Amino acid sequence: MMYQTDGTPAVRLSDATLGDLPEGVSTLVYDRKKLSPGIVHIGLGNFHRAHQAWYLHRLMQQGLAFDWAIIGAGVRPSDAAMRKRLLQQDCLTTLVELDPDSASVEVIGSMIDFVEVHPENAPLIAVMSNPRIRIVSLTVTEGGYYQSEAGGLDVDHPDIAHDIANPERPVTAFGAMIAAYRARREAGYPPFTGQSCDNLQNNGDVLRRTVVDLARLTDPDLAQWIDQAARFPNAMVDCIVPATGDAELSSVRELGILDAAPVTHENYREWVIEDQFGAGRPPWERAGATITDDVHAHESMKIRILNAGHQVLANAGEMRGIKTITDCMADPLMRAFFHKVQTREILPYVEAVDGTTPQDYLALVEKRFANPKIRDTTRRVAFDGSSRHPGFVLPILRDALASGGPVEGLALVEALWARMCAGVREDGTVIDPNDPHWDQLNKAAIRAKSRPSAWLEMHQIYGNLSDHTRFPDAFSRWLNLIWSDGTHAALKAYSA
């Protein structure tokens, strides 16, 4: 038996123990036996449970959306471990909201099952083929959509090549969706809506393109049916959700709950959704989401200021051995660097949204990043830079180059990423692989130590940016300075 710090036994989370949870924990007011599935969510991690699953839980607390419960799913072997953890506690999750001055705890129950994880996705295809499922949503990371450098489908990727050769035995989420669309069309059922919940500009359009392009390679008629009949709404999602480690597990236990997969998150959420659903949807707006016909401005502001801002801090923080984003913001030099890059080189390419100016949103982001309760590690934020830099930072750089604006800070951000990918911090400690393409990045970073242009020759990331001499010249100066004098010197030189 596990105990709280005062010696009181902690309650193992389950349907049967909901009435035994400690005082102060907000719990369900609805009967989960009355829930039926309407959504399959692929890629069920912390962000989904703190965001989409929370919004749905709020609706259920109001007596709404009982026929929209979530069935979790995954297509990676590691998802099997999450499935086991959640099923052993009836798919309940403890959410701990970390306000700078307080914390609140609630248990949510909008998820009711988790599909068996299978290498060829037969159980997932069967569930998505059921007409009760009207939305299939995804959080598969920004780099999980198999996009080529040109923005189309990367047909050379081994996973995509497998699904093209074996459409009945797909290994990707998108191949599984196509197989389910095929089964639904053959049975006379309407298509489900595909809803991306990833941090991608025009994420619904990206999801549509991946699914339709893949389907077209094996069944053009099915691809046309999907393209014409299915809906893929764009959306902007926002909530800072750190990874769960031993500290989070321990803190929840000390609150009196034994949860194998708790989630901590900041005291802020936003979800802006394009109202494009082909088979109905929960009334998300009743839980605080914004339903609109124009998501682009919202997502552009968030992705450019918050997500690109994360990359501004994370690589420099890793090089200097700063553990968290909060600690980065507490460092005067790091905060000055962040603020200057934002105000000089990012905000000029962000439009105001619904009365919120870019300056107002930056002030909000700086406050959120500085929240001392959110221990969001620089390592987590720096993960998958090969997707995050092309998705978040480089579009701003292209706009700055096109308009003749300054690019010194953005070039420094890229130089810091290149230096980090060399794999050793300035104190000599090793940076463990932190990207799906780490080997390639590491080799390029080591070559770039003596020849900085070697980094920019990764055309799948930088495209033709080297054609604009202002950027490669600035990048080379900064990378040479970082290698010779260190990150602190480079940040100080820029921030002066």
Side-chain angles (χ1 to χ4, degrees):
M1 182 173 291
M2 310 214 41
Y3 294 87
Q4 304 176 55
T5 52
D6 64 1
T8 304
V11 176
R12 188 172 297 280
L13 187 61
S14 71
D15 281 335
T17 61
L18 285 173
D20 302 325
L21 293 174
E23 185 178 351
V25 175
S26 175
T27 188
L28 288 62
V29 300
Y30 53 92
D31 183 356
R32 297 184 84 213
K33 295 185 180 68
K34 295 181 179 179
L35 304 182
S36 60
I39 298 172
V40 168
H41 185 85
I42 303 172
L44 199 141
N46 282 10
F47 180 81
H48 163 72
R49 288 180 290 148
H51 197 263
Q52 184 193 40
W54 177 88
Y55 278 96
L56 188 57
H57 170 74
R58 300 308 298 172
L59 292 177
M60 291 172 174
Q61 292 286 70
Q62 300 172 46
L64 303 171
F66 281 15
D67 60 339
W68 287 102
I70 296 166
I71 296 178
V75 298
R76 302 170 302 175
S78 59
D79 292 317
M82 176 64 79
R83 177 178 186 266
K84 181 178 180 180
R85 289 197 295 270
L86 288 174
L87 287 180
Q88 74 182 11
Q89 58 194 48
D90 299 319
C91 296
L92 296 166
T93 290
T94 306
L95 296 182
V96 182
E97 180 180 279
L98 299 175
D99 183 276
D101 301 317
S102 62
S104 61
V105 185
E106 65 180 324
V107 172
I108 67 169
S110 53
M111 178 182 170
I112 59 173
D113 200 1
F114 202 123
V115 180
E116 179 185 356
V117 179
H118 188 278
E120 294 176 351
N121 288 313
L124 173 57
I125 294 167
V127 171
M128 292 190 295
S129 301
N130 190 314
R132 292 192 302 175
I133 300 303
R134 287 149 286 159
I135 294 174
V136 171
S137 54
L138 306 92
T139 42
V140 295
T141 77
E142 299 83 10
Y145 288 80
Y146 298 98
Q147 293 179 281
S148 68
E149 178 188 339
L153 184 67
D154 182 4
V155 296
D156 295 324
H157 192 286
D159 292 346
I160 296 298
H162 175 279
D163 284 7
I164 293 170
N166 305 277
E168 303 300 327
R169 297 182 290 108
V171 297
T172 71
F174 312 106
M177 290 173 69
I178 293 165
Y181 278 130
R182 182 183 298 109
R184 291 173 76 112
R185 185 181 64 154
E186 290 174 353
Y189 302 144
F192 51 75
T193 294
Q195 185 174 22
S196 172
C197 298
D198 280 303
N199 279 313
L200 280 170
Q201 192 93 29
N202 303 312
N203 55 8
D205 296 338
V206 172
L207 175 57
R208 174 191 290 275
R209 186 163 59 244
T210 298
V211 170
V212 172
D213 286 356
L214 180 55
R216 188 174 289 120
L217 295 171
T218 58
D219 190 337
D221 290 341
L222 176 63
Q224 183 176 12
W225 182 77
I226 295 169
D227 199 26
Q228 293 179 348
R231 296 292 179 267
F232 299 86
N234 291 304
M236 183 274 278
V237 297
D238 193 7
C239 185
I240 296 174
V241 185
T244 295
D246 291 340
E248 288 73 25
L249 292 168
S250 177
S251 67
V252 171
R253 184 179 70 247
E254 290 171 4
L255 292 168
I257 306 172
L258 281 180
D259 185 332
V263 176
T264 60
H265 60 90
E266 66 170 331
N267 57 326
Y268 181 91
R269 282 185 187 85
E270 190 174 12
W271 197 9
V272 182
I273 310 169
E274 183 181 26
D275 201 2
Q276 290 289 329
F277 291 80
R281 62 170 175 83
W284 300 118
E285 63 272 29
R286 297 281 294 272
T290 299
I291 306 298
T292 180
D293 292 328
D294 181 16
V295 173
H296 178 75
H298 291 270
E299 64 185 1
S300 179
M301 176 178 281
K302 186 260 179 175
I303 286 173
R304 293 194 167 202
I305 297 177
L306 188 149
N307 294 107
H310 261 156
Q311 301 312 303
V312 171
L313 292 171
N315 304 130
E318 272 280 65
M319 288 309 306
R320 299 182 68 204
I322 300 176
K323 299 290 187 183
T324 71
I325 296 299
T326 296
D327 294 336
C328 288
M329 294 299 286
D331 182 285
L333 181 58
M334 291 283 286
R335 187 158 188 154
F337 166 58
F338 176 82
H339 189 78
K340 184 173 181 179
V341 174
Q342 288 277 1
T343 53
R344 284 178 55 86
E345 301 184 31
I346 296 179
L347 264 58
Y349 312 103
V350 178
E351 297 179 2
V353 180
D354 292 344
T356 300
T357 67
Q359 292 77 13
D360 291 339
Y361 190 74
L362 174 60
L364 172 63
V365 166
E366 289 178 325
K367 181 179 179 182
R368 291 167 63 191
F369 281 7
N371 183 343
K373 296 289 185 68
I374 298 294
R375 309 303 293 172
D376 200 12
T377 65
T378 49
R379 177 173 175 81
R380 187 200 75 83
V381 173
F383 173 74
D384 198 13
S386 60
S387 294
R388 294 181 174 184
H389 282 257
F392 304 151
V393 181
L394 300 187
I396 308 169
L397 179 59
R398 291 181 187 280
D399 285 351
L401 289 168
S403 67
V407 297
E408 288 289 325
L410 295 172
L412 175 53
V413 170
E414 295 307 294
L416 288 163
W417 180 38
R419 173 64 183 86
M420 188 203 75
C421 288
V424 181
R425 297 181 185 87
E426 290 176 344
D427 63 5
T429 57
V430 173
I431 299 173
D432 292 328
N434 199 23
D435 193 287
H437 304 287
W438 182 260
D439 287 346
Q440 178 186 2
L441 296 174
N442 181 248
K443 290 175 183 176
I446 292 171
R447 290 196 301 270
K449 180 177 181 180
S450 58
R451 188 172 64 86
S453 61
W455 181 260
L456 303 182
E457 288 167 3
M458 293 189 293
H459 297 295
Q460 74 278 14
I461 293 174
Y462 289 100
N464 65 350
L465 279 170
S466 290
D467 295 343
H468 303 267
T469 56
R470 286 199 299 132
F471 169 58
D473 288 352
F475 172 86
S476 296
R477 287 197 309 274
W478 286 124
L479 187 57
N480 286 331
L481 179 62
I482 293 167
W483 275 112
S484 64
D485 295 357
T487 299
H488 184 276
L491 297 180
K492 189 174 181 180
Y494 175 75
S495 301

